[in-house]
Amino acid sequence: MTGDNPLDEMADGTGHAKPHWRSLLSTMFALGHETLAQRAHLMDQAFAEEGITAILPGERAVNWRCDPIPLLMSAVEFAALESGLAQRAQLMELILADLYGPQTLLSEQLVPPDLVYGNPSFLRPCHTVDGRRTHRYLSFYAADMLRGPDGAWRVLADRTGQAQGLAYALENRRIMSRVVPELFQSQRIQQLRQYLEVTSDALQALAPDDGAGVALLSGGHSDPLWFEHVLLSRELSIGLVEGGDLTLRNGKVFLKTLRGLQRIGVLLRRKEGHGVDSLELSSGTGVPGLLDAIRGGSVRMVNDPGSGVAEAPALAAFLPALARRLLGEDLQLASQATLWLGEGAVVRTVLRDLEGWLVRPATDGNAHPVVPMMLSTAERANLAARMAANPAAFAASVAPNPSVAPCAGEHGLEAKPIALRMFMTFDGTRWRAFPGGLARALSEEDALAGRLPRNALSKDVWVMQDETSTVQGALGLLTPTLAIRRTAGDLPSRVADNFYWLGRYLERLEEAARLQRAIIARILRPSPTAREVAEMHILVASLVKAKMMDAEGASVLGAGMLASAVMRAFRHEGGMRRVLAHVARQVEQLRDRLTGEMHAVLTRSLRILGENMKRLPPDSKAQALEYASNLTTEILEFAATVAGLAAENMVRGGGRLFLDFGRRVERAQSITGELAQVLDQPRALTQPGRVEAALRLALELRDSVITYRTRYLAVLQPAPALDLILADEGNPRGLAFQLAAARDLLREIVEDGDSLLMAMEPLLQETRDIVQEVLKSPDQMATTARLPPRLRKLEQAIGAVADRVSRRYFTLLPIARSLGVDSELLRGAA
């Protein structure tokens, strides 16, 4: 491919490979096309396993891929781009300072008012009338660039709002080094760690000197770039918070934790500017009063909430004049030639040759450009009519002819057009460029600019080291000595809530799997006994209570109809699928709190379970039932894996405490409710037969049959069985064990004598009292048969304690509810 295309990124003007490409090409050709294609598949798989795409198949799918062939950039070329981008970043800072201050540029007619007051990203509450400003508007900046036919890079879009995409560039490098290590062996590449250290130190330097923390403000796990928020907060060693985690006291911003409020001094903004303050801006998820705290200087937000106004595509038409006015110099790195159609007869110039332009909204930098040459005749005519009717709403850039770079294809190397995003950070004294970038290999359907797409083929960007370069370290800030802390209470309330519900949903999934496995085993038996039929009655009632079967299915006891009712739980929108989706959402919300190993295991297991459920045979025959039974075994293995990971990988206290507490509470309620249910069913049997069938099934569901047989041989009596299920604190599947474990967990976060601890003791005593009353009764069967009301009362008392913990420690925000929606599906962290 080298030399065939004059725009080839790896070819020089003579048709030969550029020096910094030669050793890489040698390694690539040594690997061969088949190996590169295989590595490309492995990288796709790695992105899926890391949860970068989506945890469950079909849920918020993001097809983000990375090509195994990097984009190389010489040290000289990088230095020139860094200088040009630093100049543009400084220009954007001065423009923002003027637009939100004295607005001299507007009065001098250097910037049209339409691009400011008609721009939804211009936030009027951020305008300072007196012009006084104590901090910068920009600390981060990015630019989308294309290389033209003349070999020069040009900026197609300035990113002054959030400068998104850095985490994807970091992830590309990490996975590349793991999957294609051969390519790195002969290359001298600038490392990324130093840039992250500089960025982290720069953020810390912005904080007040009173110990205030730094946090990344995210829109939450529903944000398409949630993965970036998680990874970036980890790499920069800062907290990850949402609007509901923060509150203001006396003009200062605090993070709500289990033990109280923690001061926050710097917020790295990763949500739209208009969504940061629900009091002064049109946002229902912002922090009331946050803009006032920013104006008062008690908290710094980077970038400023109103900084997105400078992303207006039409502003590029005025940057050359603005650079001469504000910097006294010409732009080193030009924009792609752009016109604002609101000026005079400019619109007629563009409409005469519409196919030669890219058309974008004048003020919306997130909108994807329209390529008229790709439109049909009717669509092009419609666009032209809209442009003629309201020219000020549009900007037009000369249609670029971007350079191409080699990409791994199914049949060898393929040349694809390349768009490059580079990132800049202000370190307190100057702008520094990220020694890499986020390159995208473009297809005809891909947008050249706008927000990052959900589906893209990206490339790692390698900046070669200069032979004469010296390593310059981070800022080396003086930080106060940190006190040793080993508390569980520093966890944000929302995070504790999410861990708690992850524990409950995991336990709910496990309990449902045990019920499903038990009833499937009985359905598959060709001639069930009377006892097994009775047990099926009990299991059906339990499945209905667990919302794994509807009441209609419960009323049909024919083997075929019952099998169909059981199988519906595993199909789309069935009970098992719903609970699995709840687990996946909690895992995604807690991504920043789980170790890499734990998150990888969880996401991989959840994905496999989701895919296996999709492969469930469509009928309800024996083969399909056996498949479903195997699924229940996989679910139980998954639950055991999570328990083991939590025990070995999570620090005692904090997240693990509430994860475990959620599991203990859910299991305790399941045991009492399940036992009450089985003792109530079915009335058609005689009392001794009904109680014996219920106790046998209860022991099976508690996985305690072997323990009972070891202790009591084959004799089944109510008191010993109930002791094992209810009162034995040594049985990890028993009720007393759950209550004792929950009590011990509470002791880690409350003081002795606290009302929550005092509420646990009567529950434990009740388990012992029940067993003793049955043991002393002359008719144990009759006494046991009368237990359901008492057990249900105990279940409610356990739930009341759980509710008290929720009210005391968790962030409970109002949840939007719709008529006809099952309220159970709306539980959990808001």
Side-chain angles (χ1 to χ4, degrees):
M1 185 176 66
T2 303
D4 295 337
N5 191 330
L7 304 182
D8 194 336
E9 282 287 341
M10 66 182 186
D12 59 21
T14 65
H16 296 88
K18 296 176 181 177
H20 53 277
W21 272 93
R22 291 170 188 166
S23 61
L24 180 69
L25 287 173
S26 298
T27 307
M28 286 166 49
F29 288 125
L31 288 173
H33 298 324
E34 292 184 1
T35 301
L36 283 175
Q38 182 186 35
R39 300 297 176 85
H41 175 72
L42 290 175
M43 292 186 71
D44 292 346
Q45 190 175 33
F47 271 82
E49 290 179 352
E50 296 284 338
I52 298 167
T53 53
I55 293 182
L56 289 182
E59 293 226 354
R60 283 199 310 119
V62 178
N63 187 23
W64 187 270
R65 303 165 53 223
C66 181
D67 186 66
I69 302 174
L71 178 69
L72 270 58
M73 184 181 296
S74 69
V76 173
E77 185 177 28
F78 173 73
L81 288 176
E82 181 178 39
S83 177
L85 291 174
Q87 183 199 44
R88 290 183 73 99
Q90 181 59 22
L91 176 61
M92 294 297 167
E93 170 69 25
L94 295 175
I95 291 172
L96 289 169
D98 182 82
L99 295 182
Y100 284 110
Q103 297 188 336
T104 305
L105 299 178
L106 291 175
S107 61
E108 294 180 2
Q109 300 182 359
L110 290 172
V111 176
D114 288 15
L115 302 186
V116 179
Y117 299 124
N119 192 329
S121 295
F122 180 73
L123 306 182
R124 285 172 172 78
C126 295
H127 182 220
T128 54
V129 180
D130 55 10
R132 289 182 295 177
R133 181 76 173 186
T134 60
H135 57 272
R136 299 177 59 85
Y137 286 86
L138 291 183
S139 292
F140 297 94
Y141 166 81
D144 292 329
M145 300 182 295
L146 300 170
R147 191 200 294 270
D150 57 356
W153 289 98
R154 290 179 176 82
V155 175
L156 188 61
D158 295 284
R159 297 292 164 203
T160 59
Q162 303 176 51
Q164 299 167 335
L166 179 60
Y168 286 94
L170 295 171
E171 190 69 3
N172 284 349
R173 177 66 58 86
R174 188 176 71 86
I175 293 183
M176 275 276 294
S177 63
R178 191 175 75 199
V179 177
V180 203
E182 298 93 338
L183 298 184
F184 289 81
Q185 293 174 359
S186 59
Q187 304 298 318
R188 298 185 72 249
I189 309 167
Q190 292 193 31
Q191 301 301 306
L192 308 181
R193 173 52 53 187
Q194 179 187 338
Y195 177 87
L196 296 173
E197 292 174 354
V198 167
T199 302
S200 178
D201 284 352
L203 288 172
Q204 296 291 342
L206 295 175
D209 57 359
D210 56 358
V214 181
L216 186 150
L217 178 60
S218 169
H221 79 288
S222 60
D223 191 301
L225 293 177
W226 170 244
F227 163 78
E228 170 163 79
H229 304 169
V230 172
L231 183 58
L232 205 55
S233 65
R234 280 185 177 177
E235 292 292 343
L236 297 177
S237 300
I238 60 179
L240 178 61
V241 301
E242 299 176 24
D245 299 332
L246 303 175
T247 187
L248 269 79
R249 297 289 189 276
N250 299 321
K252 296 181 179 181
V253 178
F254 292 88
L255 172 66
K256 294 179 284 188
T257 73
L258 301 180
R259 288 192 183 275
L261 301 178
Q262 289 186 357
R263 174 79 189 283
I264 297 294
V266 180
L267 287 170
L268 174 57
R269 180 172 62 85
R270 278 299 184 266
K271 63 184 298 186
E272 294 296 333
H274 58 73
V276 301
D277 190 331
S278 58
L279 184 63
E280 297 191 55
L281 301 170
S282 57
S283 167
T285 60
V287 184
L290 184 55
L291 280 183
D292 188 59
I294 294 172
R295 285 191 293 264
S298 66
V299 64
R300 293 286 303 277
M301 178 169 285
V302 291
N303 286 338
D304 191 85
S307 59
V309 68
E311 292 188 355
L315 188 63
F318 305 94
L319 290 183
L322 291 171
R324 289 188 290 271
R325 167 67 174 80
L326 297 174
L327 299 174
E329 54 193 32
D330 292 329
L331 286 175
Q332 300 175 31
L333 189 58
S335 301
Q336 183 73 8
T338 301
L339 299 174
W340 177 52
L341 305 193
E343 285 190 308
V346 171
V347 65
R348 290 197 294 271
T349 301
V350 174
L351 290 178
R352 276 197 296 267
D353 182 24
L354 187 56
E355 295 185 21
W357 299 84
L358 290 181
V359 179
R360 289 182 281 177
T363 59
D364 187 359
N366 285 325
H368 292 161
V370 177
V371 185
M373 70 174 63
M374 303 296 293
L375 301 178
S376 66
T377 303
E379 290 171 333
R380 199 157 47 243
N382 179 268
L383 173 63
R386 288 189 288 117
M387 293 168 62
N390 186 16
F394 294 92
S397 301
V398 173
N401 186 14
S403 61
V404 298
C407 299
E410 294 183 3
H411 307 291
L413 298 182
E414 300 176 358
K416 294 187 177 183
I418 295 296
L420 172 64
R421 177 172 292 190
M422 288 186 63
F423 305 92
M424 305 287 291
T425 293
F426 188 75
D427 68 2
T429 58
R430 67 181 181 90
W431 285 96
R432 292 198 187 192
F434 176 69
L438 185 64
R440 288 191 293 124
L442 305 173
S443 66
E444 290 185 355
E445 295 79 18
D446 289 334
L448 291 172
R451 64 172 58 88
L452 284 177
R454 298 177 71 88
N455 302 284
L457 174 63
S458 62
K459 295 176 77 71
D460 190 14
V461 179
W462 291 6
V463 177
M464 312 311 292
Q465 290 184 359
D466 188 348
E467 297 290 343
T468 61
S469 64
T470 58
V471 177
Q472 183 174 351
L475 298 178
L477 296 176
L478 294 176
T479 56
T481 301
L482 298 176
I484 302 298
R485 291 190 295 185
R486 296 178 182 173
T487 64
D490 294 333
L491 198 68
S493 302
R494 172 186 54 83
V495 175
D497 191 32
N498 288 335
F499 269 116
Y500 169 76
W501 279 103
L502 175 60
R504 296 204 68 158
Y505 284 131
L506 282 168
E507 189 62 30
R508 202 168 294 180
L509 184 67
E510 180 180 349
E511 290 296 324
R514 291 185 183 279
L515 290 171
Q516 297 282 16
R517 185 172 66 171
I519 196 167
I520 290 172
R522 286 159 176 80
I523 294 173
L524 286 172
R525 290 170 189 165
S527 301
T529 64
R531 191 187 80 189
E532 289 171 341
V533 171
E535 289 171 344
M536 280 196 281
H537 278 276
I538 297 170
L539 288 167
V540 165
S542 298
L543 285 168
V544 171
K545 185 175 185 294
K547 299 188 178 178
M548 294 295 143
M549 185 183 293
D550 56 31
E552 181 181 355
S555 64
V556 182
L557 285 180
M561 296 298 292
L562 180 58
S564 178
V566 169
M567 296 294 286
R568 276 198 291 272
F570 295 91
R571 304 196 191 281
H572 184 63
E573 298 299 329
M576 298 296 288
R577 294 288 291 273
R578 286 199 304 269
V579 178
L580 190 69
H582 282 311
V583 173
R585 289 190 199 98
Q586 296 299 329
V587 169
E588 185 69 3
Q589 288 177 321
L590 291 166
R591 187 173 195 147
D592 63 312
R593 298 285 172 167
L594 300 173
T595 65
E597 179 182 356
M598 190 169 184
H599 183 265
V601 171
L602 284 171
T603 53
R604 189 181 305 117
S605 300
L606 286 167
R607 182 176 294 276
I608 291 172
L609 282 173
E611 291 173 348
N612 289 345
M613 284 190 184
K614 290 177 68 176
R615 297 192 188 102
L616 190 70
D619 54 44
S620 302
K621 297 179 181 178
Q623 183 180 2
L625 286 167
E626 289 173 357
Y627 188 95
S629 181
N630 292 334
L631 279 176
T632 63
T633 301
E634 291 179 20
I635 290 171
L636 295 176
E637 291 172 351
F638 167 67
T641 300
V642 174
L645 281 171
E648 296 298 328
N649 284 40
M650 296 184 71
V651 175
R652 304 298 188 266
R656 182 191 165 180
L657 186 155
F658 286 97
L659 173 70
D660 205 13
F661 184 78
R663 295 200 71 165
R664 298 306 165 198
V665 167
E666 184 70 27
R667 187 176 296 180
Q669 288 190 283
S670 295
I671 293 169
T672 50
E674 195 175 84
L675 184 58
Q677 194 73 36
V678 299
L679 289 174
D680 258 353
Q681 301 288 334
R683 294 296 183 184
L685 296 178
T686 60
Q687 188 181 85
R690 172 162 53 88
V691 172
E692 182 178 350
L695 291 175
R696 287 185 185 278
L697 183 57
L699 288 170
E700 178 186 341
L701 295 175
R702 292 298 104 217
D703 202 16
S704 300
V705 174
I706 293 177
T707 304
Y708 186 88
R709 287 176 180 171
T710 301
R711 292 181 181 180
Y712 306 106
L713 300 180
V715 179
L716 180 63
Q717 293 184 7
L722 291 173
D723 177 69
L724 187 57
I725 296 169
L726 296 178
D728 188 348
E729 294 187 20
N731 180 13
R733 291 285 167 187
L735 177 59
F737 182 93
Q738 317 310 319
L739 297 176
R743 176 199 60 197
D744 294 341
L745 290 167
L746 288 175
R747 281 176 175 160
E748 297 187 34
I749 56 174
V750 302
E751 302 293 335
D752 291 338
D754 189 277
S755 60
L756 282 175
L757 283 179
M758 296 176 65
M760 296 301 298
E761 291 305 328
L763 302 180
L764 277 164
Q765 185 60 45
E766 176 68 355
T767 64
R768 295 187 284 266
D769 291 345
I770 289 174
V771 173
Q772 287 300 312
E773 289 182 22
V774 172
L775 181 63
K776 295 175 181 178
S777 172
D779 189 348
Q780 290 191 11
M781 292 291 185
T783 304
T784 302
R786 293 192 294 270
L787 285 179
R790 191 170 178 180
L791 290 170
R792 291 193 175 96
K793 185 177 180 181
L794 180 57
E795 179 187 11
Q796 292 172 358
I798 296 169
V801 173
D803 289 342
R804 289 177 61 187
V805 172
S806 296
R807 286 194 299 271
R808 181 183 295 190
Y809 292 110
F810 302 153
T811 303
L812 299 178
L813 302 177
I815 300 175
R817 300 179 182 268
S818 301
L819 291 176
V821 177
D822 185 353
S823 61
E824 183 67 19
L825 303 181
L826 299 174
R827 298 182 69 181

